[in-house]
Amino acid sequence: MLVTVLGATGKTGSLIVAELLARGFPVRGAVRRPEAADELRARGAEAVLADLRSDTGALAAALAGSDVVINAAAASDPQPGLAEAVDRDGAINAVKAAEKAGADRFVQVSSLFADRPDEGPEFLHRVLRAKQASDLALAESALAWTIVRPGGLTDDPGTGLVRIADRLTIAPGIPRTIPRADVAAVTAAVLDEPSSRCRGFDLTSGTTAIADAIAA
Ligand SMILES: NC(=O)c1ccc[n+]([C@@H]2O[C@H](COP(=O)([O-])OP(=O)(O)OC[C@H]3O[C@@H](n4cnc5c(N)ncnc54)[C@H](OP(=O)(O)O)[C@@H]3O)[C@@H](O)[C@H]2O)c1
């Protein structure tokens, strides 16, 4: 089962590639720079050059043969219009390309509050609305989708302990962050959990082991 990771050079994407390789999946990383492709190959993955903003046909060619596409790409720069270009239009383009390439599953790394942008922090409203639009397009696609909505990402070591729900209650005193390593572990683990097909869920650090939280 070939899994292609979009945004494989990102902090979370790189950890997702490592999780998938450790779990024995054949992995292809989609990257924008040739040096990054060489690094991925050295780690034991296939590599392909791809940009979410390319035309759908070119992106579909980069995804050819993939059973699963994981999208961990995002605009990491607050430049005006970039969230709309990458997190909304680019992610929608990736969904169309995955359909065109004949993939079965699509796992989207989204964000807490992407399904309710107005409840998220005001400075994130624009990004959350962009993610909401692409998440909705994915859920309406023919793909078996999973939308992972993590809280604020940290670079702390993974704990393996999380909180997952269709919609988490976010209240003072309850953690709303999560290490990227735990997001990567959850993103890889959903591939082994059929009940995660066509589901979206909020994700933060918590007290439940990842496999149990996903199964529940
Ligand atoms: N930061 C947070 O607290 C937070 C909270 C919740 C959710 N999230 C979401 O979690 C995900 C992972 O975040 P992160 O901070 O780990 O990501 P990151 O390190 O900022 O990585 C972003 C990735 O997206 C790629 N990318 C950007 N534009 C692209 C394009 N046009 N085509 C293809 N790839 C493109 C980058 O590639 P290059 O290396 O080529 O630039 C990089 O691999 C994102 O969706 C983010 O929005 C973040």
Side-chain angles (χ1 to χ4, degrees):
M1 184 164 79
L2 176 63
V3 185
T4 296
V5 180
L6 296 162
T9 50
K11 289 184 184 175
T12 306
S14 181
L15 293 167
I16 291 172
V17 168
E19 270 292 333
L20 294 168
L21 289 171
R23 286 167 178 259
F25 287 103
V27 180
R28 179 187 296 158
V31 296
R32 296 195 288 177
R33 286 172 292 109
E35 318 82 79
D38 292 341
E39 279 167 33
L40 269 174
R41 292 189 189 104
R43 292 172 64 191
E46 285 180 37
V48 67
L49 292 176
D51 193 306
L52 263 60
R53 301 167 77 179
S54 308
D55 70 75
T56 310
L59 195 51
L63 301 180
S66 307
D67 301 291
V68 179
V69 176
I70 296 177
N71 183 19
S76 24
D77 189 319
Q79 189 185 318
L82 206 54
E84 289 76 8
V86 178
D87 296 68
R88 185 189 63 198
D89 301 345
I92 293 172
N93 194 29
V95 169
K96 288 184 187 152
E99 285 181 311
K100 201 176 169 86
D104 170 45
R105 287 199 72 167
F106 194 111
V107 182
Q108 174 70 35
V109 181
S110 180
S111 176
L112 189 66
F113 297 119
D115 58 338
R116 41 180 164 152
D118 293 343
E119 294 178 35
E122 196 168 343
F123 75 99
L124 286 178
H125 282 181
R126 210 169 48 78
V127 174
L128 292 171
R129 288 195 189 105
K131 286 190 177 293
Q132 180 182 42
S134 52
D135 288 356
L136 287 171
L138 173 58
E140 284 168 6
S141 76
L143 298 158
W145 51 273
T146 304
I147 297 169
V148 181
R149 293 187 296 267
L153 303 181
T154 75
D155 293 324
D156 296 338
T159 65
L161 297 173
V162 297
R163 196 163 63 113
I164 284 178
D166 290 343
R167 185 169 280 203
L168 285 172
T169 302
I170 304 299
I174 301 177
R176 59 163 77 188
T177 60
I178 181 165
R180 286 180 168 88
D182 285 331
V183 176
V186 167
T187 304
V190 297
L191 303 185
D192 292 325
E193 180 50 63
S195 69
S196 69
R197 293 167 77 97
C198 301
R199 296 290 296 271
F201 54 84
D202 294 348
L203 169 68
T204 64
S205 288
T207 54
T208 308
I210 286 173
D212 296 338
I214 291 174

